[in-house]
């Protein structure tokens, strides 16, 4: 259990302690976070185990841990579910225990990786700062180096994301109030309740008058909440990153700065999508076998992107966006087929998207964001269904090992690798330097594939990828369609044509096949065009 003695044992001399929590199903996220902390030589951390299985797994790896015994599922919580709401209360209890022990914690979700030691940043804002929280604000208002807080009046209006935040133990009364609110309103989101509590008595930004904030707080871009008793700051979105500012806007990359944290928000394929994004960024902690799987080799290619369609007159339309992406899907379709026939893992090249993706209507970029179009590299979960598509639908006639249900063993890892795979320092030279550059086959017949099947190079690198699906016999083509039609996801969203109608459009791996039936069971007897729904 978490005790005062345990908290003090692991806290720094400055009383700071990094804390997270995890269940059995997501131990891999905790192990990845801990690996980053070890690399940063940051020893002051604890990981809460939400179930006994997680506790045993953490202890087996020597991770400093404590048991929370949440009584919740050992599987994924699922955003917005009953278990998800209950988890918020367990989080409140954890934070209250830490503050009661006199610790000043940085509390992070397990999917919010720490990539740079945050304690020097926090120390510069002490002793004034009591609460420092990340934000879903998508436009930076800080300095170029992202070493100051965001402007209070502008950034505080967006959602405060408590997937990563710092708390001084003097904020205990407000946190106790938050816990009571979570208990009294079990159907409401703990994150929204957190901000609601601090808005009691209104947020205060004044620099003069009866409610004036001391100049020392103003200078540090702090403001006040909870009846003016707690000082609050919004962490810079360019270095305490959410999924959009890091993976889509690429704020720290554009500025040439190293982020303090990367939280895998704003993504679309569940935990599988989060893992893949972190792999694309070379931030995920896989074991050695992932980078050099016994008995397996790889295949990749140089994609052709129709750049003449990308913002030709300074704007990007929906139809042109789908032309750009679908042209890449023809190549990707062929590469999946070729990799499956050769028994190789496909290293998916970076995609280019003409438009961003969101959960609500937009004009190509999320309102209030600083997104630059096109989006490249475009996160793979913007286009492919990594959670329920590729990892659950194996291609016919592939050499992939399968479970009794016919699904590829290892899920997504049994099918593909991320575009950055060959640039990752953990990929051994035995893989990276074992390259061959053959011409693509004319078709997928045994005779055409024979020279490639005999190749011993660990990586086959093709300068182009022709439409190999078009060469399949009709029966094979039908079987392939039945599996690969599930690979793609949807783009969202345009303003619906009528109230209460969908504004999203599904990508179609077989848009160029007439006739065909898509994953929504719609019959296409004419050339594909963007169509809302279903």
């Amino acid at each position: 259990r978490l005790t005062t003695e345990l908290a003090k044992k692991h806290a720094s001399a400055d009383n700071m302690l990094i804390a997270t929590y995890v269940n059995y199903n997501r131990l891999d996220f905790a192990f990845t976070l801990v690996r980053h902390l070890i690399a940063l030589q940051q020893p002051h951390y604890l990981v809460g185990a939400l179930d006994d299985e997680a506790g045993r797994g953490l202890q087996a790896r020597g991770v400093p841990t404590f048991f929370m015994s949440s009584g919740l599922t050992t599987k994924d919580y699922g955003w917005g579910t009953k278990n998800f709401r209950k988890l918020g209360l367990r989080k409140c209890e954890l934070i209250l225990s830490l503050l009661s022990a006199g610790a000043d914690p940085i509390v992070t979700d397990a999917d919010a990786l720490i990539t740079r030691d945050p304690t020097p940043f926090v120390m510069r804002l002490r002793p004034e700062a009591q609460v420092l929280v990340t934000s879903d604000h998508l436009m930076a208002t800080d300095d170029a180096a992202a070493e100051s807080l965001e402007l209070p009046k502008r950034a505080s209006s967006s959602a405060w994301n408590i997937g990563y935040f710092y708390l001084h133990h003097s904020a205990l009364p407000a946190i106790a109030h938050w816990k009571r609110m979570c208990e009294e309103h079990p159907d409401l989101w703990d994150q929204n309740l957190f901000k609601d509590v601090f808005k009691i008595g209104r947020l205060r930004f004044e620099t003069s008058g009866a409610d004036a904030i001391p100049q020392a707080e103003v200078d540090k871009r702090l403001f006040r909440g909870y009846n003016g008793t707690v000082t609050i700051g919004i962490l810079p979105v360019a270095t305490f990153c959410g999924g959009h500012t890091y993976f889509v806007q690429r704020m720290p990359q554009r500025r040439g700065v190293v982020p303090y944290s990367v939280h895998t928000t704003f993504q679309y394929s569940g935990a599988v999508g989060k893992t893949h994004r972190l792999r694309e960024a070379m931030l995920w902690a896989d074991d050695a076998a992932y980078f050099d799987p016994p008995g397996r080799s790889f295949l990749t290619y140089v994609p052709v992107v129709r750049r003449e369609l990308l913002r030709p007159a300074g704007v990007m339309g929906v139809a042109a966006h789908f032309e750009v992406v679908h042209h890449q899907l023809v190549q990707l379709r062929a590469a999946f087929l070729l990799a499956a026939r050769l028994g190789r893992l496909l290293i998916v090249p970076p995609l280019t998207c003409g438009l961003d993706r969101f959960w609500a209507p937009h004009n190509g970029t999320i309102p209030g964001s600083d997104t630059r179009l096109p989006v490249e590299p475009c996160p793979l979960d913007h286009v492919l269904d990594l959670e329920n598509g590729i990892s659950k639908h194996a291609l016919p006639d592939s050499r992939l090992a399968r479970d009794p249900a016919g699904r590829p063993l290892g899920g997504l890892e049994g099918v593909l690798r991320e575009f950055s795979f060959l640039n990752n320092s953990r990929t051994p030279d035995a893989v990276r330097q074992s390259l061959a550059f053959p011409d693509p086959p004319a078709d997928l017949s045994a005779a055409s594939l024979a020279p490639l099947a005999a190749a011993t190079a660990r990586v086959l690198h093709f300068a182009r990828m022709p439409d190999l699906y078009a060469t399949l016999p009709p029966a094979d083509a039908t079987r392939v369609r039945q599996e690969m039609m599930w690979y793609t996801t949807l783009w969202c969203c345009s303003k619906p044509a009528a109230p209460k109608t969908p504004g999203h459009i599904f990508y179609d791996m077989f848009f160029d096949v007439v006739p065909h039936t898509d994953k929504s069971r719609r019959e296409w007897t004419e050339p594909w065009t963007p169509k809302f729904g279903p």
Side-chain angles (χ1 to χ4, degrees), residues 103-117:
D104 301 329
I106 293 173
V107 182
T108 173
D109 290 353
D111 68 335
L113 299 185
I114 294 174
T115 52
R116 182 177 166 192
D117 187 357

Side-chain angles (χ1 to χ4, degrees), residues 223-247:
F223 57 99
R224 291 205 171 201
Y226 198 58
N227 290 315
T229 64
V230 179
T231 55
I232 307 164
I234 305 298
L235 292 164
V237 298
T239 46
F240 291 85
C241 299
H244 198 271
T245 58
Y246 187 83
F247 296 104

Side-chain angles (χ1 to χ4, degrees), residues 205-521:
F205 310 99
E206 293 87 346
T207 57
S208 61
D211 294 326
I213 298 172
Q215 191 60 43
E217 297 173 16
V218 174
D219 291 344
K220 293 182 177 181
R221 294 188 169 185
L222 296 166
F223 57 99
R224 291 205 171 201
Y226 198 58
N227 290 315
T229 64
V230 179
T231 55
I232 307 164
I234 305 298
L235 292 164
V237 298
T239 46
F240 291 85
C241 299
H244 198 271
T245 58
Y246 187 83
F247 296 104
V248 178
Q249 294 190 51
R250 300 177 64 81
M251 277 190 186
Q253 298 92 322
R254 283 160 46 187
R255 294 187 183 202
V257 297
V258 178
Y260 287 100
S261 65
V262 177
H263 192 182
T264 49
T265 55
F266 287 86
Q267 64 84 41
Y268 305 96
S269 277
V272 176
K274 294 182 178 190
T275 301
H276 190 79
R277 284 206 186 186
L278 293 170
R279 283 173 171 154
E280 288 179 334
M282 296 184 285
L283 295 175
W284 186 254
D286 279 299
D287 58 27
Y290 178 83
F291 299 97
D292 190 7
R296 301 301 301 275
S297 291
F298 307 91
L299 176 157
T300 192
Y301 66 97
V302 178
V304 175
V305 178
R306 294 193 59 188
R307 295 195 171 274
E308 76 277 8
L309 297 176
L310 295 171
R311 296 174 62 82
V315 295
M316 187 77 206
V318 173
H321 163 76
F322 272 87
E323 283 191 73
V324 169
V325 173
H326 275 165
H327 186 259
Q328 295 170 81
L329 287 181
V330 170
Q331 302 164 68
L332 190 56
R333 181 177 71 190
F336 273 125
L337 284 167
L338 182 57
R341 295 294 176 93
L342 296 176
R344 289 177 176 258
L345 296 167
L346 174 62
I347 302 173
V348 178
L351 297 182
T352 297
C353 294
L355 302 176
D356 196 3
R357 181 179 174 182
F358 193 40
W359 293 282
H362 59 91
N363 291 321
T365 61
I366 299 176
S369 71
D370 190 27
T371 307
R372 299 179 182 181
L373 298 179
V375 178
E376 53 183 348
C378 185
L380 197 60
D381 58 88
H382 273 217
V383 177
L384 300 185
D385 184 349
L386 306 181
E387 183 178 30
N388 297 306
I390 297 173
S391 58
K392 294 183 179 180
H393 293 271
L395 283 167
D397 303 324
S398 75
R399 298 183 186 177
L400 299 179
R402 301 167 188 258
D403 67 13
R407 295 170 297 201
L409 288 175
L412 199 67
E413 295 83 359
V415 180
L416 59 81
R417 293 292 184 267
E418 62 282 359
F419 67 78
S420 57
F421 180 76
L422 295 178
N423 294 323
N424 197 314
S425 61
R426 298 194 63 209
T427 303
D429 289 344
V431 172
R432 289 194 291 179
Q433 296 180 7
S434 180
L435 293 167
F437 299 89
D439 291 328
D443 53 49
L444 293 169
S445 66
S448 294
L449 296 181
L452 298 175
T456 58
R458 296 297 302 279
V459 181
L460 299 183
H461 195 293
F462 297 95
R464 59 187 178 85
M465 185 56 60
D467 182 5
L468 296 174
Y469 169 80
T471 71
L472 289 174
D476 287 351
T478 298
R479 288 190 298 145
V480 165
R481 283 201 308 274
Q482 290 171 348
E483 295 296 344
M484 290 188 73
M485 68 178 179
W486 302 105
Y487 281 24
T488 51
T489 182
L490 57 83
W491 173 81
C492 188
C493 293
S494 284
K495 186 177 180 179
K500 297 183 179 181
T501 60
H504 62 261
I505 303 168
F506 277 93
Y507 296 105
D508 192 338
M509 188 69 89
F510 300 97
F511 75 98
D512 56 337
V513 177
V514 180
H516 80 280
T517 303
D518 67 18
K519 64 186 293 184
S520 302
R521 302 303 178 187

